[in-house]
Amino acid sequence: MNIANLCKIPEQNFVFHLVTNSFKHHFASGNSARPLRLIVDGPGGCGKSYVLKCIMKELQQFLCAKDAGVQLSEAVFVAAPTGVAASLLSGQTVHTFLQWNPQYPFKPLAGDALVQYQKKMRHLQLLFIDERSMISAVLMSYIVRRLRQAKPGASESDPFAGVSIVLLGDDHQLPPVNGGRLYEGAQVCLRKKTYTCERRALGSRAFTQEFNLCVQLSVNVRATGSTHLQQQFRDLQMDCLRPCLPTASWHSFLMRIADLTQAEPSAKLQWDREFRLCSSKKHCQEHNMNMLRRVSHELQEPMVKIKAMHSTNSAVTISADKFQGLLPEIWLSVGARVCVIANLWLSRGIVNGLTGVVVDIVYDTSSPTNDQLPQVVFVACHKNAYSGPCYAELNSCLEYERLSRILKVSGVQFTAYDVNIIPIEPMQKEWHAMQTSK
């Protein structure tokens, strides 16, 4: 099968051949060819992820035909700054690629960890990094330092140690959390004084000096169709990328809100059940409690307060921010929509941002107590989002009608036929507080 024929749009086809030909030439020359440093730019829906998957298929066929004893997973790595993006591309997070826990300062690998990392990366030729808008200059400096460790014999003049790198994404999307954008330079303003950050300098310099080729994908292949509304949606999507939204587009959004006041009850209800962006934690908590009360009332299911069990009384008063976001207590109900806030099982889809619906809460009734934790909370997720083991027996315990009603009331856009049900059990986490004396 000629995979290149799958990229029918000229821009996509150009990127496909540029990357695959570079990899093949690099492979044939014994890594002596000049590595590729490419930026693939374009808004959401223009096919960046699609082209990447086509490239991976082509390189898989190439390596199999060469029978060189090198697996695709050894020669090509796909990484992204978030678990959701990495999971969608069957890749890994940038932090996993770097063998670095961001809760601790970045340090060079040493000893057995370094030996194992160099062994893992010895065949690495091509690195894809998605969602490049979230890659900071500081994070890029860590990539430089880790690749230099992975391939110590590479030329000193190449900051990326001879590895070809393709950055994909759109600068109009989310910026880095901290560390500065790649093109902002090394200057940091702190308390009205300007400082030079060496880490920013390294990452920014490597980016600006090495990435001199950019291909922009401009054809929106996701939002297709020729009707007036479909064309209007594409125009609005592009207008949102401008520094200032045009007046006509602003009126289109206002009309959309005005239409809801005259919409059918089902449309209004669906609007009320959609996700909200809240401006504060207090507003978020109030909205969540209101939604939980509504779901509990409609399904005639009780709301339950689940309290964490602490080893010391002082732990109750510690901020949730110091416990990786874990709250001392939460409220749940059957029908509640829940969201994962950490990357727990990347290869199976349990990543930061995965959403689901609580379909049952099971307690041990043989020895009930006031502060008892549930034995298990069953959560239904879309089977395309979660691919790990599921609790198949629950489908026979819950009538199809009940499960369908729970999903409908919760407002999710999938049916009882589309779910995998995950059993969530209580788990133990440990933190050690540092005691300091004055």
Side-chain angles (χ1 to χ4, degrees), residues 124-375:
L124 173 62
Q125 292 189 27
L126 176 59
L127 171 63
F128 291 97
I129 302 179
D130 195 21
E131 304 292 352
R132 66 181 176 86
S133 66
M134 297 182 68
I135 301 297
S136 68
V138 171
L139 186 56
M140 183 62 76
S141 74
Y142 295 161
I143 295 173
V144 169
R145 291 167 61 184
R146 196 63 93 220
L147 287 177
R148 298 297 313 174
Q149 277 200 293
K151 296 181 176 293
S155 170
E156 291 290 338
S157 61
D158 186 352
F160 298 105
V163 177
S164 294
I165 301 180
V166 179
L167 301 178
L168 304 100
D170 176 16
D171 279 327
H172 291 95
Q173 296 185 17
L174 291 174
V177 176
N178 52 45
R181 289 182 180 269
L182 290 171
Y183 48 78
E184 285 181 344
Q187 301 302 312
V188 180
C189 184
L190 183 63
R191 295 177 182 175
K192 298 182 179 182
K193 292 184 179 181
T194 302
Y195 302 88
T196 298
C197 176
E198 294 300 329
R199 294 175 300 170
R200 283 197 185 190
L202 175 60
S204 182
R205 183 169 59 249
F207 172 73
T208 54
Q209 292 180 356
E210 292 295 322
F211 289 88
N212 52 16
L213 181 60
C214 177
V215 179
Q216 186 168 32
L217 306 182
S218 57
V219 179
N220 192 329
V221 294
R222 183 185 300 162
T224 57
S226 56
T227 67
H228 172 70
L229 286 176
Q230 290 167 332
Q231 182 60 49
Q232 185 183 42
F233 175 78
R234 288 194 292 270
D235 293 341
L236 287 171
Q237 193 177 26
M238 297 305 296
D239 286 342
C240 287
L241 301 180
R242 300 185 182 185
C244 183
L245 191 68
T247 303
S249 298
W250 176 249
H251 282 303
S252 297
F253 282 117
L254 291 179
M255 289 301 297
R256 170 64 176 164
I257 297 173
D259 289 343
L260 286 171
T261 62
Q262 302 174 359
E264 296 292 328
S266 58
K268 291 182 181 179
L269 185 61
Q270 184 61 45
W271 173 263
D272 290 337
R273 291 170 176 170
E274 292 298 336
F275 280 107
R276 295 288 189 272
L277 292 176
C278 300
S279 58
S280 65
K281 289 183 179 180
K282 180 180 178 181
H283 182 202
C284 179
Q285 292 169 356
E286 291 174 351
H287 175 74
N288 286 340
M289 284 302 296
N290 290 335
M291 295 297 292
L292 192 63
R293 292 188 187 99
R294 181 190 62 76
V295 168
S296 174
H297 175 73
E298 287 192 39
L299 292 174
Q300 294 297 298
E301 295 280 355
M303 292 173 55
V304 297
K305 181 192 288 188
I306 301 176
K307 293 184 177 181
M309 300 178 66
H310 302 286
S311 58
T312 63
N313 293 332
S314 60
V316 181
T317 62
I318 299 178
S319 168
D321 293 335
K322 298 184 181 296
F323 284 96
Q324 300 178 8
L326 294 179
L327 299 169
E329 64 180 36
I330 60 172
W331 286 88
L332 279 184
S333 171
V334 170
R337 295 172 74 171
V338 292
C339 179
V340 177
I341 61 171
N343 297 324
L344 302 177
W345 197 0
L346 186 64
S347 62
R348 296 301 185 183
I350 304 184
V351 296
N352 185 3
L354 174 68
T355 59
V357 179
V358 176
V359 295
D360 212 351
I361 305 174
V362 180
Y363 282 90
D364 180 7
T365 57
S366 61
S367 56
T369 60
N370 292 333
D371 296 329
Q372 181 184 11
L373 291 172
Q375 281 189 312

Side-chain angles (χ1 to χ4, degrees), residues 366-410:
S366 61
S367 56
T369 60
N370 292 333
D371 296 329
Q372 181 184 11
L373 291 172
Q375 281 189 312
V376 62
V377 175
F378 290 103
V379 177
C381 297
H382 196 287
K383 59 186 178 184
N384 291 340
Y386 169 71
S387 59
C390 59
Y391 195 81
E393 290 79 3
L394 190 62
N395 290 324
S396 60
C397 297
L398 278 174
E399 304 87 349
Y400 170 79
E401 291 79 6
R402 179 174 181 267
L403 181 55
S404 297
R405 174 167 166 72
I406 291 172
L407 298 177
K408 181 179 180 180
V409 170
S410 68

Side-chain angles (χ1 to χ4, degrees), residues 47-73:
K48 298 184 294 293
S49 299
Y50 175 77
V51 173
L52 173 55
K53 291 178 181 179
C54 290
I55 291 172
M56 295 294 284
K57 290 180 181 179
E58 173 69 17
L59 297 184
Q60 176 71 62
Q61 290 187 1
F62 171 76
L63 290 175
C64 289
K66 287 293 182 180
D67 194 22
V70 178
Q71 300 294 323
L72 181 68
S73 59

Side-chain angles (χ1 to χ4, degrees), residues 80-92:
T82 66
V84 172
S87 178
L88 290 174
L89 296 172
S90 301
Q92 58 187 314

